[in-house]
Amino acid sequence: MRTRSTPTLGTAALAAALIAAPLPAIAAEADAATGTLTVTRFDDRYADGLYDPSKTAPSGDVDRKNESAPRVLAADGTWRDASANGDGDFVFEGLPLGETEVHFLFPNSPGGEVFFDATDAASAADIEQLPVGSFLGSPTGVASVTVDSDGESLLVGMSALRLVADVQFADGEPASGLATVELGSGDSWYPATEYDFQPGTYESFWQYGYIRHLPGDLGVRVTPPAGFRVASVTAADVNELTVTERDGAWYFPSSEVLNYFWNPTFTVTLEELPDTTRPTATLVSPSTAGPFSALDIRVDATDDRGLNRIVANIYRDGVLVKSTQSAVGGATSGTHTAAVVLPDGAYTVRYNAQDLAGNISRTGSFSVTVDATAPTVTVKDGVSFTRGADGTYDLVSFKLYDAGKIDRVELNGVAKNLTNNAWSDVNFVKPGTFRAVAGENTLVVYDVAGNARTVTFTLN
Ligand SMILES: [Ca+2]
Ligand SMILES: [Ca+2]
Ligand SMILES: [Ca+2]
Ligand SMILES: [Ca+2]
């Protein structure tokens, strides 16, 4: 809690004020028309921008007239002085007509308070902040009044409200380094800067220190970082304050603030925007239709926020025969692999990925063939093809068969590529042809899927 200090008017300034007193020559002009200006100033302790001592602030305080004398710069360029009368008002009589300035020295100068013109105001929306002027070098709030012979009255209030915004993420972590946090009062928004010593806490400053706010609706608005939105805004001092939203900003009425020099705090909570972007899933393997002796499945996936799982399901004739998946645990990229053994046949691999929000990627589909059966090799009959029997031959020919197609053979380690066909042949093998040798020979027959059948035989 602070106490209000007296105006910072030093001895030298007082002396200067006396020297600047009205000049007798001007005051004595015989028929000059003059006017009277009555000034009332008040501390807006029930902070509604109006002078109404019948209303009580949460602290128990009420509006109170302030008897620190304003200084009047009359239309003739002279400074005028008046003491508070019995009602606590200042009556300046005999003022020359015309534009007149009324200066209010800051109790905690400069800028420790804000002055506002509440003359004829029906609500805080009608008050107007006084610009900063100067009385003998000291900053003042300065009101301008046109004095006429009917007399004028001026009602000026003083407030010292501060405003702070604590901005945090939903997990309570401070939202540090935000580009745009603004605190508002009157018709103004003030960019707020973050305290070095308190991350996530923002306040508005001007050349004289903290911005002091006009009574009325006190507001905050925040531009959340990309991917976030404002989840909630609350405000409190020692009590919870009533916050309402309009036009993307949040306000509470200053009349709820404990006292007119208090420092209420907004708490702005940011949350991540919902994840509406689905993952992408890519089939890395198989990359051809096969046939494969076994399926090596690999699906890679990515998501903007985090993956839950990657799935690859295998169908045969539209019926699910095998389901495989990997949990990813929230990483933004992941890989699912599965080695699947299946009966021979034609299959469809259907694959996708799901993110943590439940969005599912486009489901990909890929057709493959499984062939886990090795080729069959039979010795051909007929004397022109084969001479000999039971694994020992002068000449031998082989008939090769594979439903998934014969690809190639190796005879004694030497490869011979064959046109890929279900049926194929290796004919007229005898020592000296096709690397065949007298004695033991080894024939390995491969199908397209890589399955191999090995046959050993002896040539005479
Ligand atoms: Ca008030
Ligand atoms: Ca997503
Ligand atoms: Ca086969
Ligand atoms: Ca081939």
Side-chain angles (χ1 to χ4, degrees), residues 275 277 303-304 355 359:
D275 179 3
T277 305
D303 187 66
D304 58 332
D355 67 18
N359 301 299

Side-chain angles (χ1 to χ4, degrees), residues 407-408 417-420:
D407 175 21
R408 68 190 197 278
N417 190 22
L418 304 172
T419 303
N420 296 0

Side-chain angles (χ1 to χ4, degrees), residues 165-170 173-182 190-195 198-203 220-233 266-271:
D166 283 342
V167 190
Q168 62 185 23
F169 293 106
E173 277 296 299
S176 201
L178 293 184
T180 310
V181 177
E182 295 169 292
Y190 303 96
T193 52
E194 188 175 11
Y195 291 142
Q198 198 170 330
T201 298
Y202 298 78
E203 186 165 2
V220 67
R221 60 187 188 190
V222 172
T223 303
F228 287 82
R229 66 183 174 191
V230 174
S232 67
V233 178
F266 281 107
T267 298
V268 180
T269 303
L270 305 177
E271 67 181 0

Side-chain angles (χ1 to χ4, degrees), residues 42-53 55 62-63 116:
F42 68 101
D43 299 344
D44 190 25
R45 289 163 185 261
Y46 175 80
D48 63 350
L50 306 177
Y51 178 63
D52 181 357
K55 292 182 171 168
V62 296
D63 287 355
F116 54 90

Side-chain angles (χ1 to χ4, degrees), residues 2-183:
R2 263 184 2 191
T3 53
R4 195 164 49 74
S5 71
T6 52
T8 57
L9 196 57
T11 313
L14 282 171
L18 293 174
I19 291 165
L23 295 173
I26 293 168
E29 248 179 75
D31 56 351
T34 61
T36 299
L37 172 62
T38 302
V39 177
T40 303
R41 64 176 289 188
F42 68 101
D43 299 344
D44 190 25
R45 289 163 185 261
Y46 175 80
D48 63 350
L50 306 177
Y51 178 63
D52 181 357
S54 73
K55 292 182 171 168
T56 305
S59 64
D61 212 348
V62 296
D63 287 355
R64 197 182 303 169
K65 287 185 181 179
N66 183 313
E67 299 193 357
S68 298
R71 302 304 201 280
V72 167
L73 181 60
D76 62 2
T78 61
W79 286 100
R80 308 297 178 97
D81 223 335
S83 299
N85 64 17
D87 294 330
D89 302 323
F90 304 90
V91 180
F92 296 86
E93 290 177 323
L95 290 176
L97 306 187
E99 286 304 311
T100 303
E101 291 182 359
V102 186
H103 289 256
F104 300 86
L105 284 152
F106 289 98
N108 295 283
S109 125
E113 297 80 17
V114 63
F115 291 105
F116 54 90
D117 187 342
T119 311
D120 299 328
S123 77
D126 300 328
I127 67 176
E128 242 175 273
Q129 182 169 353
L130 300 188
V132 174
S134 172
F135 171 69
L136 301 176
S138 295
T140 59
V142 55
S144 295
V145 181
T146 304
V147 172
D148 63 23
S149 54
D150 295 342
E152 300 295 328
S153 64
L154 177 69
L155 177 65
V156 167
M158 185 177 76
S159 178
L161 294 163
R162 283 171 57 188
L163 260 187
V164 162
D166 283 342
V167 190
Q168 62 185 23
F169 293 106
D171 62 2
E173 277 296 299
S176 201
L178 293 184
T180 310
V181 177
E182 295 169 292
L183 295 162

